[in-house]
Amino acid sequence: MGVRHFETYLKKSPPEVRREVNIAELASEYTQSTGKRPIIAVDGRNLLRSVHKPRDNEWMLGGQMKALVQDMQSFVSKFQKIGVDLVFFFDGATRENKRSTWLRRRQDNMKKIVQLFRKLQGNFNQQYMIPPLFGATGAFVAKFECGCDVRLSLFECDAAMAEEAHNKDYLGIISRDTDFVFLKGARYYFSSVDMNPDTMKAIAYNRKDLQTYLGLKPKQLLMLASLIGNDLIPPEDLKNFQSHVCPTNNNIVKLVPCLVEYIKHKYTTERCETEDLCHIASDVFGNETRAQDLRESILSYLPSSAEETDHLEPSSVAELSLEAPWRRILDVARQKHESCSVTTHLYPVMIGEAFELSTALENYRFEIPHTAAIYRPLRQRIYGILLHEKPGAAIVKEWCIGSNQIPTEPLEVPIIRPDNHPGLLHLWDESCPDDTKWRLFVDCLTRQKKLDASKLQELGFPFAVPVAVIHYLQQEYVGYLTETEVDVLLAQAATVKTTSALELAAISMKMLTPRLLYLSTIFHRGVATILFLLAACGFILKDAMPWFYFDGKMLLQKYVEATQYGKVEKALCSTQKDVLASFEKMKEILNSV
């Protein structure tokens, strides 16, 4: 993310740009000078890669959720000890003007996934992709397990983070997104890669320092980001121009000075109107009409165009004239979104944004059901809950990766309205009876055979989630899961809750097979979709989180025991009475349908 290869440039920069600092000392100086407790904004999704590093290919089966929780708690506690509060920001949907970049990155991931399946029997290190459950529930780790202030953005969180950090004088921003060097944000930008939470030593960057070192004015610096390449200006569109201004362009260190000289001579007015950028667009793209692209790129770094300055208002002007009842519903949905009380997609879908689903560890080369398609009928019913009271709502656009062909247009998916909808404001009110929510949940979960709502309510969280996932697969894709696979999923769910993160980490990652990878992917995609349904039905999600019932290594252990050694139910549950009891309760509910 951020400005292409600029992290490499920063790492090779002189002390005028790159400062070695101690965050504890900076925090103490901040408190002494301001009398306030220092705050650091954290790019939450980015931090997941830095805080929880995979070992032994563990991410291939969905990751170790308990270890993620522990690592996040440890990270937060270290900052609390030095008197620093952390505010986590997490991305929402992708803006459509950045869709081409999103699709390009999905294409890159697809190539890696194809390579992974080809090399599955070899020594393949899969550390490039955050497991879907980490992305779907990382914000909830920070909120529920670490007790932090968490902000969920409607779109990408960069501009919102920077603007709040600037307006409220935050001490710093932690991320690995070089956009923050160009945004007017906190006092310091700390690269998460170069930070040691144990010693609090870090490398700090500052926008003004970079600007002074390069000898550029404010908007000239933003033009530099645009001409290097970012999410709005694809790097491949700049290759010819960059080769022209820097014939020896074989790395970013040589390219930047050449671009700086060009900008000093060609962009002297710092005006950001389209007509003023035409001559630069002609040089860069050979096309004056692309001046608007340069303008959008520059504006994306300015506070006046921050991603969240619309306060999460609906993106369509038509939404503003909707009836008052729907507007009231949107107000409540927005509050839930901003406070990270619901899943990422809920509010965007309600205001007309597209639902998106990225790549996962699926063998897209073969004609097998992919998770995007498997859970689409359930998503349609979730859309029906969310849009039941929206006048004229009929479809939701989806950007989902469901084959080896990356889509070029969104799919328009019809919504399916439930028959017994009590109204969103009632569902989301604290006074709404639990049995009302459970009845709607089981009614929307499957089309025909339904779970017993009262039995599922009695089972409660966290085990209602894996039961719901398995029931959906059994009913919507009859015969897809074998009885052994059902037992494996239930046994690992029952066992994880009573197993420590240390014990889970000790499990060996051997005997990986394509089928096991797919079983893991289909399960945790199902978990994310069930959490989406629970949020739509008004449930509090805290006790439904996957670290209570899923671990990739535990799934592998139970799968090997069941398929290689032919273990029976009691042995799969390690003969522990409480684990076996949980297993049998879940199995009984599934068998009673």
Side-chain angles (χ1 to χ4, degrees), residues 515-534:
R515 176 63 184 178
L516 180 56
L517 245 66
Y518 189 48
L519 183 65
S520 174
T521 296
I522 198 174
F523 180 74
H524 56 240
R525 281 290 203 214
V527 168
T529 310
I530 293 301
L531 292 177
F532 188 17
L533 174 58
L534 288 170

Side-chain angles (χ1 to χ4, degrees), residues 304-371:
S304 60
S305 65
E307 305 282 1
E308 303 299 327
T309 53
D310 59 358
H311 302 293
L312 302 182
E313 288 298 322
S315 59
S316 171
V317 175
E319 299 275 4
L320 300 176
S321 61
L322 290 174
E323 289 86 342
W326 180 245
R327 294 292 302 166
R328 287 197 294 272
I329 291 172
L330 285 184
D331 286 342
V332 175
R334 184 185 67 198
Q335 292 166 11
K336 285 179 169 289
H337 183 94
E338 288 177 318
S339 63
C340 191
S341 299
V342 293
T343 52
T344 307
H345 300 293
L346 188 144
Y347 182 64
V349 163
M350 294 181 69
I351 62 172
E353 298 294 334
F355 177 91
E356 62 185 41
L357 197 64
S358 185
T359 45
L361 292 184
E362 305 179 64
N363 200 337
Y364 294 100
R365 292 179 298 159
F366 297 111
E367 294 297 325
I368 57 176
H370 298 295
T371 54

Side-chain angles (χ1 to χ4, degrees), residues 147 246 258 450 477 492 567 574:
C246 186
C258 297
K450 313 286 186 181
Y477 285 84
Q492 73 88 34
K567 295 221 172 185
S574 306

Side-chain angles (χ1 to χ4, degrees), residues 80-149:
Q80 290 174 338
K81 287 179 181 177
I82 63 169
V84 174
D85 291 329
L86 300 181
V87 178
F88 283 80
F89 289 77
F90 285 83
D91 289 331
T94 302
R95 281 193 181 275
E96 287 308 312
N97 63 355
K98 295 185 178 182
R99 183 60 62 189
S100 61
T101 299
W102 187 87
L103 291 171
R104 186 173 65 252
R105 288 174 178 155
R106 305 294 79 75
Q107 182 71 65
D108 292 343
N109 278 348
M110 180 75 73
K111 293 175 182 177
K112 294 174 183 178
I113 292 169
V114 169
Q115 183 187 23
L116 183 151
F117 275 93
R118 285 174 176 164
K119 295 183 176 182
L120 189 57
Q121 303 304 324
N123 183 22
F124 192 90
N125 191 350
Q126 191 269 322
Q127 295 190 13
Y128 63 87
M129 185 186 295
I130 292 179
L133 275 184
F134 282 23
T137 62
F140 296 120
V141 175
K143 179 182 176 70
F144 295 145
E145 301 299 327
C146 300
C148 292
D149 184 0

Side-chain angles (χ1 to χ4, degrees), residues 356-391:
E356 62 185 41
L357 197 64
S358 185
T359 45
L361 292 184
E362 305 179 64
N363 200 337
Y364 294 100
R365 292 179 298 159
F366 297 111
E367 294 297 325
I368 57 176
H370 298 295
T371 54
I374 286 175
Y375 293 107
R376 181 167 292 124
L378 179 52
R379 292 198 301 273
Q380 288 178 268
R381 294 191 285 272
I382 298 173
Y383 302 152
I385 295 174
L386 296 175
L387 302 175
H388 188 270
E389 297 153 277
K390 181 177 181 178

